[in-house]
């Protein structure tokens, strides 16, 4: 196995540290820089009632960097949403589980205001909360297309994951985006994110057109999950077979992952 060119060191955090369901979930910060006061941000809420019924994956095309979020989402532990953003227009990518597809909602919010996502059966709307009353907010909704791999008859590289790393103890990589397009599979339990991997075996074998592709993924190592997604670009060559591998090391008391692309001979 020949190791190729990129390495990313990441901290692995035990899910046990995030267990439990708080009645008032900690606010997730969806903007860069120091935390601002409630009067300076807009707040988005959704009462998940202790389950991941409504999952936010991206805000304005970006994954979360807040370590207190859960499983590569903007949700708080337990499934509820208490998301703070800078005022203005935002595009929020989400999955409302009963609908069984990824969608984006775009709307404009003001500083100091709270906006709630309301779902009932397969319907969705955004309201601005004003004390005990709520006002409907104008929004646009669209579906997110899934990733489509290259045809078998076309020149392609192959990216694979056997899924055996969990049983062997050397971990497994979960790939959930290629060039911004999600996989069609939503796992049962664990990290609630659409993915390329098969839900139970964790395997995948995906054909990529030759050239540069952007991959979004996270690592699983025993009981540890990498909570913040990695985004890496790599140039794939036709006729070659690749995998994402890593080594685990300890640094300053933390377990770290060094990711590498590796060519499979």
């Amino acid at each position: 196995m020949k190791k190729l060119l990129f390495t990313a060191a990441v901290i692995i955090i035990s899910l046990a540290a995030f267990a439990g369901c708080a009645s008032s979930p900690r606010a997730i910060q969806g903007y860069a820089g120091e935390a601002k006061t409630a009067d300076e941000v807009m707040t988005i809420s959704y009462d998940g009632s202790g389950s991941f019924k409504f999952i936010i994956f991206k805000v304005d095309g970006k994954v979360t960097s807040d370590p207190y979020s859960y499983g590569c989402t903007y949700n708080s532990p337990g499934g509820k949403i208490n998301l703070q953003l800078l005022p203005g227009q935002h595009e929020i990518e989400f999955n409302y589980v009963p609908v069984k597809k990824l969608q984006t909602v775009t709307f404009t919010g003001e500083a100091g205001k709270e906006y709630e996502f309301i779902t009932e059966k397969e319907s969705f709307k955004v309201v601005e909360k004003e004390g005990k009353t709520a006002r409907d907010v104008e929004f646009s909704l669209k579906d997110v297309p899934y990733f489509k791999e290259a045809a078998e008859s076309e020149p392609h590289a192959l990216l694979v994951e056997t899924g055996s790393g969990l049983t062997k103890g050397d971990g497994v990589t979960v790939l959930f985006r290629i060039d911004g397009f999600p996989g069609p599979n939503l796992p049962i339990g664990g990290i609630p994110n659409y993915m390329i991997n098969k839900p139970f075996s964790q395997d995948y074998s995906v054909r990529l057109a030759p050239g540069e592709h952007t991959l979004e993924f996270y690592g699983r190592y025993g009981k540890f999950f990498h909570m913040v997604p990695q985004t890496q670009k790599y140039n794939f060559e036709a006729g070659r077979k690749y995998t994402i591998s890593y080594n685990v090391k300890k640094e300053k008391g933390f377990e770290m992952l060094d990711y590498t692309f590796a060519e499979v001979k």
Side-chain angles (χ1 to χ4, degrees):
M1 184 178 287
K2 179 183 177 183
K3 290 189 175 180
L4 302 180
L5 292 180
F6 91 88
T7 300
V10 294
I11 296 176
I12 302 301
I13 304 173
S14 172
L15 282 180
F18 299 95
C21 173
S23 56
S24 298
R26 178 194 180 279
I28 301 300
Q29 182 174 314
Y31 55 89
E34 296 294 323
K36 300 182 180 296
T37 66
D39 292 336
E40 297 175 294
V41 298
M42 55 182 281
T43 300
I44 297 173
S45 63
Y46 180 84
D47 183 2
S49 300
S51 65
F52 284 91
K53 184 178 180 181
F54 191 101
I55 307 165
I56 295 179
F57 293 122
K58 288 193 174 186
V59 175
D60 300 325
K62 296 180 180 179
V63 297
T64 181
S65 59
D66 191 321
Y68 289 93
S69 64
Y70 183 85
C72 307
T73 75
Y74 283 88
N75 293 53
S76 299
K80 293 186 178 182
I81 291 170
N82 182 9
L83 173 61
Q84 294 185 343
L85 302 174
L86 298 179
Q89 180 174 287
H90 295 283
E91 181 186 73
I92 297 171
E93 183 188 277
F94 69 92
N95 170 232
Y96 173 47
V97 173
V99 175
K100 298 180 180 179
K101 61 182 175 182
L102 278 177
Q103 296 176 291
T104 60
V105 56
T106 302
F107 72 101
T108 301
E110 300 177 22
K113 300 290 182 69
E114 180 180 351
Y115 301 89
E116 184 174 9
F117 292 163
I118 305 292
T119 56
E120 184 176 353
K121 295 184 178 179
E122 295 189 2
S123 68
F124 170 82
K125 67 177 181 178
V126 182
V127 300
E128 179 188 321
K129 298 178 70 173
E130 298 175 339
K132 295 183 179 181
T133 63
R135 177 183 65 86
D136 287 351
V137 174
E138 184 177 346
F139 65 91
S140 63
L141 198 66
K142 66 179 182 180
D143 295 343
V144 177
Y146 296 122
F147 173 77
K148 292 184 179 180
E149 63 181 330
E152 192 169 2
S153 60
E154 299 174 336
H156 63 269
L158 201 61
L159 182 64
V160 300
E161 169 61 64
T162 65
S164 63
L166 289 178
T167 56
K168 290 181 178 180
D170 56 359
V172 67
T173 298
V174 178
L175 176 64
F176 59 92
R177 306 268 174 159
I178 300 176
D179 300 329
F181 296 103
N185 302 313
L186 184 63
I188 306 300
I191 300 298
N193 207 326
Y194 275 82
M195 62 183 188
I196 306 295
N197 304 57
K198 298 175 183 177
F200 295 101
S201 68
Q202 299 294 302
D203 292 358
Y204 62 76
S205 178
V206 59
R207 297 183 297 272
L208 299 174
E212 185 177 78
H213 293 279
T214 301
L215 308 180
E216 297 176 41
F217 58 91
Y218 67 89
R220 296 182 64 182
Y221 175 66
K223 65 180 180 180
F224 296 101
F225 286 9
H226 175 44
M227 305 302 287
V228 179
Q230 294 293 292
T231 300
Q232 299 291 343
K233 293 182 179 180
Y234 192 77
N235 188 57
F236 294 88
E237 298 181 28
R240 296 180 181 270
K241 187 177 182 180
Y242 302 86
T243 190
I244 301 173
S245 63
Y246 54 84
N247 296 314
V248 180
K249 67 179 182 179
K250 286 189 177 181
E251 186 174 304
K252 296 181 179 179
F254 292 100
E255 285 194 297
M256 310 287 289
L257 285 186
D258 286 329
Y259 286 101
T260 56
F261 281 114
E263 185 179 343
V264 180
K265 295 296 187 180

